[in-house]
Amino acid sequence: MRAEAQAYADQINDALALLRRFLDWDRALRRLDELNNRVEDPKLWDDPKAAQEVMRERRRLDEAITATRAIETELSDTIELMEMAEAEGDDAMVDEGVATLAALAERAERDKVQALLAGEADANNAYIEVNAGAGGTESQDWAGILQRMYARWAERHGMKVELIDYHAGEQAGIKSATLMIRGENAYGHAKTESGVHRLVRISPYDSAARRHTSFASVWVYPEVDDDIDIEVLDKDLKIDTYRSSGAGGQHVNTTDSAVRITHIPTGIIVACQNQRSQHKNRAEAMKQLKARLYEQELQRREAEASAGYEAKTDIGWGHQIRSYVLQPYQLVKDLRTGVTSTSPSDVLDGDLDPFMAAALSQRVTGEKVEVEDVE
């Protein structure tokens, strides 16, 4: 088989292996049989809420298993046809087989990512919080670029973006901002973006045109559903109000309606200023706080389930998850998975799917890749 065709086949087999491992294939088949039997029980709908949960789990498992089997069958059939075509010297048929494998590889990757979005909160909307690091204008400008990058990524996927909190930089960019991303599997896709992001470029703010390195941190956490009960005690809260400040227009008002809440036991701080009503800003800030506390619990469970593999291990200053180099060459490199892009302009315009997919896969395998940072 041609090298190109073999490469596609290997890619498909890798995706299938990851899917089977993630689903725990034999257990998934048994579980699907159990759910099918429950669906046939007329007493199931005596408890509508429980019935809906059963139907959701059944649909997810059925779709993942059906998609996996379909790809396996199509891969086997295509390879068999290609081998026959090669034996008969039918180059046109071989070319058609290569094209089929290429399309199948793309489909396998999409199905793999979709199946990996089965975490407890993956289907929820997401908050994306961006904070500038030390470095003044340079880091604040970089934080502003990241804020735009995530907004563009969300828009590419038809998601809605709402600016929840915004603190403008002193000369450019932002000190911090919080976005609410509303859309299907928003948190599931974006959750792997939490961490420190590093930028290397010739500074537009340096009259000597020297190269600067800037840092900004990103934190992603899910919106809490009404069904999720997170207890927050009043005695554990410090609540401050202040005057909103922002980019102008709807983001600015002239009353002390902005609200900042500090959760004393954990040190978590959230803020909201996008509403003119202090009451509404406080309600939104409380939603953010509960979301942060919930995300903290999800990370704890994930770390335990992964036998010590902690997704947040390298979240800290000086432990960046991704580097973006704009000069003297063009490269974006993920330091967890090794995924790279030679088009930073596309990445900064929201082309983040390859990085997110690789990081999701890594969460399943728990395998760390030795990756050297770029200069």
Side-chain angles (χ1 to χ4, degrees):
M1 189 160 59
R2 291 181 187 175
E4 184 182 11
Q6 188 61 57
Y8 286 131
D10 291 343
Q11 182 182 341
I12 295 165
N13 279 320
D14 287 345
L16 291 171
L18 184 66
L19 271 171
R20 282 177 167 270
R21 177 174 176 174
F22 174 74
L23 292 169
D24 190 352
W25 189 254
D26 291 337
R27 187 205 64 80
L29 294 177
R30 290 194 300 270
R31 180 60 177 163
L32 183 58
D33 285 340
E34 292 172 6
L35 293 171
N36 285 333
N37 290 333
R38 289 190 65 184
V39 168
E40 293 175 1
D41 184 352
K43 295 182 180 179
L44 174 66
W45 290 97
D46 290 347
D47 184 345
K49 185 177 178 180
Q52 289 174 359
E53 291 177 358
V54 168
M55 294 301 291
R56 277 197 297 269
E57 184 182 0
R58 175 179 174 271
R59 182 175 65 254
R60 181 186 67 80
L61 271 178
D62 185 54
E63 288 175 353
I65 290 170
T66 299
T68 302
R69 284 173 167 166
I71 291 172
E72 287 175 336
T73 299
E74 191 167 345
L75 174 62
S76 176
D77 290 347
T78 302
I79 290 175
E80 185 177 344
L81 287 172
M82 287 183 68
E83 289 174 345
M84 291 173 57
E86 286 176 342
E88 296 172 2
D90 190 340
D91 291 339
M93 182 66 74
V94 173
D95 291 340
E96 185 178 335
V98 171
T100 299
L101 288 178
L104 190 59
E106 289 185 9
R107 192 173 110 205
E109 189 66 23
R110 286 196 304 270
D111 287 348
K112 179 189 76 174
V113 171
Q114 194 62 33
L116 295 178
L117 298 174
E120 184 175 333
D122 284 356
N124 293 19
N125 298 327
Y127 293 100
I128 300 182
E129 182 181 311
V130 182
N131 292 280
T137 301
E138 287 294 332
S139 292
Q140 290 168 13
D141 188 45
W142 172 223
I145 292 171
L146 285 175
Q147 177 200 343
R148 177 188 178 278
M149 179 181 77
Y150 289 113
R152 290 289 296 118
W153 167 78
E155 290 163 1
R156 280 174 174 233
H157 290 273
M159 299 181 187
K160 294 182 179 179
V161 182
E162 181 181 351
L163 187 63
I164 298 295
D165 191 47
Y166 184 96
H167 297 273
E170 293 163 2
Q171 296 182 44
I174 60 170
K175 293 179 180 178
S176 66
T178 301
L179 301 175
M180 162 61 84
I181 309 298
R182 300 183 186 277
E184 184 178 359
N185 292 322
Y187 175 67
H189 283 291
K191 65 184 179 182
T192 59
E193 290 296 296
S194 289
V196 177
H197 296 246
R198 169 179 176 251
L199 173 69
V200 180
R201 66 173 178 177
I202 302 297
S203 171
Y205 306 101
D206 187 337
S207 59
R210 289 170 294 190
R211 199 162 69 135
H212 285 246
T213 298
S214 307
F215 295 91
S217 68
V218 174
W219 197 256
V220 182
Y221 45 100
E223 181 183 32
V224 177
D225 291 338
D226 293 338
D227 294 339
I228 299 170
D229 183 24
I230 304 292
E231 184 180 12
V232 179
L233 303 178
D234 289 342
K235 67 182 181 66
D236 291 336
L237 302 179
K238 178 177 181 290
I239 301 176
D240 302 303
T241 59
Y242 58 97
R243 182 160 296 180
S244 300
S245 63
Q250 64 179 337
H251 305 306
V252 177
N253 57 51
T254 57
T255 61
D256 292 336
S257 61
V259 175
R260 180 187 299 111
I261 299 177
T262 303
H263 187 245
I264 297 169
T266 61
I268 291 174
I269 300 174
V270 295
C272 182
Q273 60 171 306
N274 70 323
Q275 302 289 339
R276 290 189 176 273
S277 160
Q278 186 181 116
H279 175 74
K280 290 181 178 178
N281 280 329
R282 176 169 175 161
E284 177 59 40
M286 281 299 298
K287 282 180 63 179
Q288 287 179 247
L289 176 59
K290 289 182 178 181
R292 284 286 298 270
L293 293 170
Y294 179 50
E295 188 269 348
Q296 193 174 70
E297 174 64 15
L298 290 177
Q299 292 287 358
R300 184 190 66 78
R301 292 183 204 169
E302 181 177 327
E304 289 180 355
S306 302
Y309 170 69
E310 297 184 12
K312 289 166 55 177
T313 296
D314 293 333
I315 295 180
W317 300 111
H319 295 89
Q320 54 271 17
I321 63 169
R322 191 176 303 142
S323 288
Y324 307 70
V325 180
L326 305 187
Q327 280 103 6
Y329 52 89
Q330 301 270 305
L331 183 69
V332 178
K333 187 173 188 179
D334 194 287
L335 305 178
R336 302 160 299 173
T337 63
V339 172
T340 62
S341 170
T342 55
S343 181
S345 60
D346 288 340
V347 175
L348 295 175
D349 199 37
D351 185 15
L352 295 170
D353 290 353
F355 298 98
M356 292 178 174
L360 279 171
S361 298
Q362 188 182 63
R363 286 191 170 206
V364 175
T365 64
E367 296 173 0
K368 291 191 176 182
V369 181
E370 293 295 328
V371 182
E372 291 188 5
D373 201 352
V374 290
E375 293 295 329

